[in-house]
Amino acid sequence: MSTQEPRPQGLPQFPESLWIDSTGLPSFPVLAEDHVTDVAIVGAGITGITTAYLLSKVGYKVTLLEAGQILGGATGYTSAKISAQHGMIYHDLLKHFGEEQARMYYQSNSEAMEWMIATAEELDLSCGMKREAAYLYADQGDEKTLKALNKEFEAYGKLGLPGEWLDQVPLPLGAGGAIRMPDQARFHPLKYLKGLLQAVLDRGGAVFEHTMIGEKVDTDGQITLHTEGEKLQIRCRHAVSASHFPFYDGGSLYFSRLHAERSYCLAFEPETDYEGGMYLSAGEPARSLRAVEWGDRKLVIAGGENHKTGQGICTFGHYENLERFAGELLGIRSIPFRWSTQDLITLDRVPYIGKRAEDEEIYIATGFGKWGMTNGTVAARLIADGILGSSNPYTGLYDPSRFKAVPAIKNFIVQNFSVAKELVAGKVEIVHTKTKDLEPDQGAVVFHDGKRVGAYRDPEGQLHLVDRTCTHMGCECEWNDAERSWDCPCHGSRFSYEGDVLEGPATLPLKTITPED
């Protein structure tokens, strides 16, 4: 963006997650010396912490390694629905995976949901766990989506899934039809995981923050991980990649088999009562709703506005669209929070979970496709079973090495053609903006010292310049005005305005440039 868009007064100036704001998170040290453990878990979100909880419970020495702050990644920016109703998926699963594996997808996520509810009760966690129905609806007049939703409901019948067809829904959404799945749940994800983390610590688990693990992995005998720059070693019997984007590729080319999407949330105080339930639109633009308690106030989280990372035009506009949607539906008294998140989606929409290779004790969990609460828990349970040597009926379904020719081939071609197009476009774009044109709190691609560079002038007027060439594979990053970050349109890496890595697959920061003004 080369100009700053006017921002409505109702939206907060800076993004902030309700979950993070309302949770006092503990802090942990940086890894300062070589370390030995039974299981090294890279990534301390829902998958990493749940895996650590399950393994520590049976006596394993576990170590969590987080590149940023604990629970400061994708898990801290979710809409936090616990549901096996994952949008328009079961018709596709039935078509491409067959009846048995489509039913397994539902069963694994439903079992994960029940395990989460039971675990919260067992640990007596005050995490706002509440059963609610989930609704998947088509807008009135959208005949194409309504037809697809009918096919989705037919798949429910073939698979024996609990679902009820409704011609109308309790909210004034103007729905032309909906599928209601009963007894799903919502919760406060960080209060839940803080409880699991405490149980891990009570059993002697170790946690290290701000500790970036590099791509190099030695597998001669035991496994040895290395911190970025190979400064320190972590020796273990088993390693788990729970780091959103896998820290270790090992020739699996995950960057070509995943694509990154951003989506947005507002937590707002409605003017009219919210009737309850969790809602998701079947068509576009995506719209999601759920209630949440914030102290003694009842808020509603409105989400949606999905787009491929680095390819959203005026990212603040996505928040404005959600504000209009929420205002027209329920009215808005205030908007205390806004935030966005990033999700990785596989070629066939089913996560990659399990051993990267049969002869290596390295486990992968990625590609949860916007449903990280249950899929992340499925991953933890499946990986824990693998480490314990227990059989798991869902191993084949989630196998990271699988390749479903349809739809994977088509999606692979489309995604990687998009990468090639972005790679070229970023190198040849014409830029007229100069650093002197930037206002405070404005970022843009500018022409500086004969080159195209990334620039941001902070609210105090200080200029920050970076070489916006992504350190992963060389695509040119685009400015994200809503989050004040540089986002790669090729594989979803994200960097702060100072160049620090916010999201992988990149592990090295952008090169900074000393400004002359």
Side-chain angles (χ1 to χ4, degrees):
M1 290 240 2
S2 59
T3 59
Q4 193 77 3
E5 298 291 333
R7 296 176 177 174
Q9 295 298 312
L11 287 166
Q13 183 180 6
F14 295 97
E16 186 176 22
S17 161
L18 179 152
W19 313 124
I20 293 175
D21 176 80
S22 58
T23 309
L25 295 176
S27 60
F28 297 93
V30 178
L31 183 67
E33 59 185 9
D34 290 348
H35 184 76
V36 178
T37 186
D38 291 335
V39 186
I41 302 170
V42 181
I46 189 165
T47 302
I49 290 175
T50 306
T51 303
Y53 173 80
L54 289 166
L55 293 174
S56 66
K57 199 172 181 179
V58 292
Y60 277 68
K61 181 181 179 182
V62 298
T63 300
L64 284 159
L65 301 150
E66 172 57 50
Q69 182 182 11
I70 293 293
L71 294 171
T75 303
Y77 295 88
T78 176
S79 61
K81 295 177 180 178
I82 311 175
S83 177
Q85 189 187 68
H86 292 178
M88 301 278 278
I89 193 169
Y90 289 106
H91 172 72
D92 284 349
L93 290 179
L94 196 58
K95 182 178 179 181
H96 301 307
F97 283 76
E99 188 172 320
E100 181 181 4
Q101 289 199 319
R103 189 176 294 110
M104 280 185 167
Y105 183 89
Y106 167 79
Q107 290 171 343
S108 60
N109 278 275
S110 185
E111 288 170 10
M113 177 181 72
E114 297 300 334
W115 183 89
M116 294 171 73
I117 293 169
T119 300
E121 183 176 351
E122 177 187 341
L123 297 179
D124 194 24
L125 303 180
S126 299
C127 61
M129 187 73 73
K130 185 177 180 180
R131 292 271 194 183
E132 287 198 335
Y135 299 82
L136 180 64
Y137 71 93
D139 290 322
Q140 198 167 37
D142 185 352
E143 295 303 321
K144 182 179 179 181
T145 300
L146 186 60
K147 184 178 180 181
L149 188 64
N150 270 286
K151 289 184 178 179
E152 181 73 3
F153 186 60
E154 290 174 6
Y156 275 47
K158 290 178 182 178
L159 297 171
L161 309 189
E164 174 189 5
W165 181 268
L166 301 175
D167 292 323
Q168 296 181 333
V169 297
L171 288 183
L173 285 163
I179 302 171
R180 178 183 183 273
M181 183 177 280
D183 296 324
Q184 307 303 286
R186 61 175 174 87
F187 73 148
H188 190 304
L190 300 198
K191 290 183 178 179
Y192 166 82
L193 288 169
K194 187 177 177 182
L196 267 63
L197 181 61
Q198 187 58 54
V200 172
L201 296 171
D202 290 344
R203 298 181 188 125
V207 182
F208 298 99
E209 291 182 318
H210 305 291
T211 301
M212 175 76 78
I213 303 301
E215 296 180 8
K216 181 182 177 182
V217 176
D218 298 327
T219 57
D220 185 14
Q222 65 179 350
I223 297 169
T224 303
L225 309 183
H226 301 263
T227 58
E228 190 61 54
E230 301 183 32
K231 297 175 183 177
L232 297 171
Q233 296 183 353
I234 302 96
R235 292 186 294 277
C236 55
R237 292 158 50 200
H238 316 272
V240 178
S241 173
S243 54
H244 202 44
F245 196 98
F247 78 93
Y248 174 60
D249 188 275
S252 298
L253 302 178
Y254 289 110
F255 64 85
S256 69
R257 298 165 55 203
L258 294 160
H259 78 271
E261 288 190 5
R262 295 204 68 73
S263 55
Y264 300 79
C265 285
L266 301 179
F268 70 99
E269 187 174 13
E271 290 181 343
T272 58
D273 289 340
Y274 182 77
E275 296 292 332
M278 301 182 296
Y279 292 82
L280 178 66
S281 64
E284 296 294 337
R287 293 288 180 263
S288 167
L289 292 162
R290 59 149 290 185
V292 64
E293 292 73 36
W294 183 49
D296 59 356
R297 297 165 69 181
K298 294 183 178 180
L299 306 182
V300 176
I301 297 175
E305 290 290 306
N306 308 332
H307 67 84
K308 195 170 181 182
T309 299
Q311 298 182 26
I313 300 173
C314 181
T315 49
F316 208 91
H318 296 295
Y319 288 110
E320 294 172 338
N321 292 339
L322 287 177
E323 182 186 28
R324 279 190 289 272
F325 166 73
E328 291 170 2
L329 181 67
L330 298 169
I332 297 174
R333 286 198 173 96
S334 65
I335 305 175
F337 301 97
R338 68 170 177 91
W339 66 90
S340 68
T341 192
Q342 185 149 305
D343 295 283
L344 295 174
I345 301 170
T346 68
L347 294 173
D348 56 24
R349 298 178 64 195
V350 173
Y352 300 136
I353 305 168
K355 275 190 180 183
R356 193 207 66 81
E358 187 58 38
D359 59 346
E360 292 178 356
E361 278 299 308
I362 301 174
Y363 294 81
I364 300 294
T366 189
F368 298 156
K370 305 181 189 303
W371 299 102
M373 298 301 95
T374 51
N375 272 327
T377 304
V378 169
R381 285 158 57 86
L382 196 155
I383 289 170
D385 280 346
I387 290 173
L388 293 171
S390 303
S391 64
N392 187 298
Y394 310 118
T395 299
L397 170 62
Y398 294 102
D399 182 2
S401 64
R402 73 178 184 276
F403 187 80
K404 299 286 183 181
V406 180
I409 291 176
K410 177 183 176 182
N411 289 337
F412 180 87
I413 293 171
V414 169
Q415 289 174 24
N416 288 283
F417 175 79
S418 174
V419 167
K421 183 178 71 173
E422 293 293 338
L423 181 60
V424 173
K427 305 295 185 185
V428 299
E429 67 178 307
I430 298 173
V431 175
H432 299 291
T433 306
K434 297 181 179 180
T435 55
K436 64 182 179 62
D437 300 325
L438 294 180
E439 300 292 332
D441 194 24
Q442 183 181 3
V445 180
V446 303
F447 199 68
H448 174 78
D449 196 23
K451 298 178 181 178
R452 292 182 295 271
V453 303
Y456 171 69
R457 193 177 297 279
D458 65 29
E460 288 70 42
Q462 182 177 350
L463 188 64
H464 304 267
L465 299 179
V466 296
D467 178 342
R468 63 193 185 97
T469 303
C470 179
T471 56
H472 174 230
M473 291 187 70
C475 293
E476 298 301 307
C477 296
E478 299 295 334
W479 178 245
N480 178 338
D481 67 325
E483 315 302 322
R484 296 163 178 83
S485 62
W486 292 102
D487 298 357
C488 177
C490 291
H491 300 112
S493 296
R494 297 180 60 240
F495 305 85
S496 74
Y497 61 79
E498 295 178 314
D500 298 324
V501 177
L502 299 176
E503 300 263 4
T507 60
L508 297 175
L510 297 178
K511 180 182 177 182
T512 57
I513 299 169
T514 303
E516 297 173 358
D517 64 342

